[in-house]
Amino acid sequence: MKHLFIYAFVLFSLKAVAQNPDFKGKKLHLYLLVGQSNMAGRGKVEESDRTPHPRIWMLNKDNQWVPAVAPMHFDKPEAGVGPGLEFARVMAEADTSVIIGLIPAAVGGSAIDSWQPGGYHDQTKSYPYDDALRRAKAALPAGKLKGILWHQGESDSKPALVGSYTQKLEALIKRFRKELSARKVPFVVGTLGDFFVNRVPEAKDINEQLRQLPRKVKHTACVEAAGLGEKGDKTHFDTPAARELGRRYAEAMKRF
């Protein structure tokens, strides 16, 4: 009974803190997480993923700041472990004077065409770009946008779509930076997994375009997903791979 009381008290305390986090006088670094399912995460949630870090927060579905735990995203019921939480852990340990604020906004199955103003994603009955922009603007009063993480391209690995991917991605970056008044905010992308490339030939072209992005757009970087494992569906990273991908994103972000 005593343990049950303590557990209930901890839950109540977390809820109270989440409703009224005190960020005043503290440096809150915001990171927007966008793309499709491998950014949202489909890895199996483990106990460590449910353990909050005192300096890592996330904006929940209701635009409230809560301690960051997996699953962070809510795009689909199968949301699980993605790269975002491990990314935040590395960034938090790199600078112990800051609080990390994550803005989960990825949407599983979303093609890049839905990441434009008014773009609609039928699978989730959502507007990925508009929703991400709205959530980012809701978070901005609490801190400063320090980076945008993008992992997407599986849905565009098709003969009719792959040729225009770079043009659309460049336009997306420009829009986000303009709308969020962050002209030089770092934008880090990640390549698609080897397991997906081996199954879908056009994915190789998407990866080459992602690798070329830093040569075309300032303040961008590309991290490699090479060698990372999948959960058994030849599409999604497993939990260890998602965490490693998050560490790779963090190492790239720290160089800005």
Side-chain angles (χ1 to χ4, degrees), residues 9-37:
F9 177 77
V10 171
L11 285 181
F12 176 80
S13 299
L14 280 175
K15 184 176 180 182
V17 171
Q19 290 175 342
N20 298 286
D22 182 14
F23 295 140
K24 292 182 179 179
K26 300 176 182 178
K27 291 189 293 183
L28 182 64
H29 288 184
L30 303 175
Y31 293 95
L32 178 62
L33 311 178
V34 283
Q36 54 183 118
S37 56

Side-chain angles (χ1 to χ4, degrees), residues 172-232:
L172 169 69
I173 297 170
K174 185 176 181 179
R175 281 196 305 271
F176 266 132
R177 287 174 169 172
K178 179 180 179 181
E179 290 291 342
L180 298 175
S181 300
R183 187 168 59 90
K184 296 182 179 180
V185 67
F187 193 101
V188 181
V189 305
T191 61
L192 310 184
D194 297 339
F195 45 84
F196 188 78
V197 174
N198 293 337
R199 181 168 66 85
V200 182
E202 291 79 15
K204 182 177 181 180
D205 195 340
I206 293 288
N207 275 357
E208 286 305 313
Q209 293 182 61
L210 290 168
R211 293 183 181 113
Q212 292 300 316
L213 182 68
R215 300 181 182 181
K216 298 174 180 293
V217 181
K218 293 181 179 179
H219 313 296
T220 66
C222 178
V223 301
E224 290 287 339
L228 299 182
E230 48 96 15
K231 62 179 291 184

Side-chain angles (χ1 to χ4, degrees), residues 67-117:
V69 293
M72 294 193 298
H73 281 81
F74 43 83
D75 57 316
K76 292 183 178 180
E78 57 266 34
V81 175
L85 193 54
E86 189 67 19
F87 164 84
R89 287 171 178 155
V90 175
M91 298 303 290
E93 294 310 311
D95 187 347
T96 58
S97 71
V98 305
I99 297 173
I100 305 297
L102 300 174
I103 310 166
V107 180
S110 58
I112 199 168
D113 281 340
S114 64
W115 287 90
Q116 59 182 319

Side-chain angles (χ1 to χ4, degrees), residues 115-138:
W115 287 90
Q116 59 182 319
Y120 181 68
H121 184 235
D122 187 62
Q123 285 184 27
T124 55
K125 311 299 180 187
S126 66
Y127 296 85
Y129 176 78
D130 293 341
D131 293 342
L133 192 62
R134 172 179 53 80
R135 286 171 56 74
K137 289 183 175 180

Side-chain angles (χ1 to χ4, degrees), residues 123-175:
Q123 285 184 27
T124 55
K125 311 299 180 187
S126 66
Y127 296 85
Y129 176 78
D130 293 341
D131 293 342
L133 192 62
R134 172 179 53 80
R135 286 171 56 74
K137 289 183 175 180
L140 279 173
K144 182 177 181 180
L145 184 65
K146 299 293 286 188
I148 301 175
L149 277 60
W150 172 262
H151 198 283
Q152 191 275 343
E154 292 91 345
S155 291
D156 287 87
S157 296
K158 300 173 182 177
L161 299 176
V162 68
S164 58
Y165 189 78
T166 294
Q167 179 183 357
K168 293 173 181 177
L169 182 57
E170 289 180 6
L172 169 69
I173 297 170
K174 185 176 181 179
R175 281 196 305 271

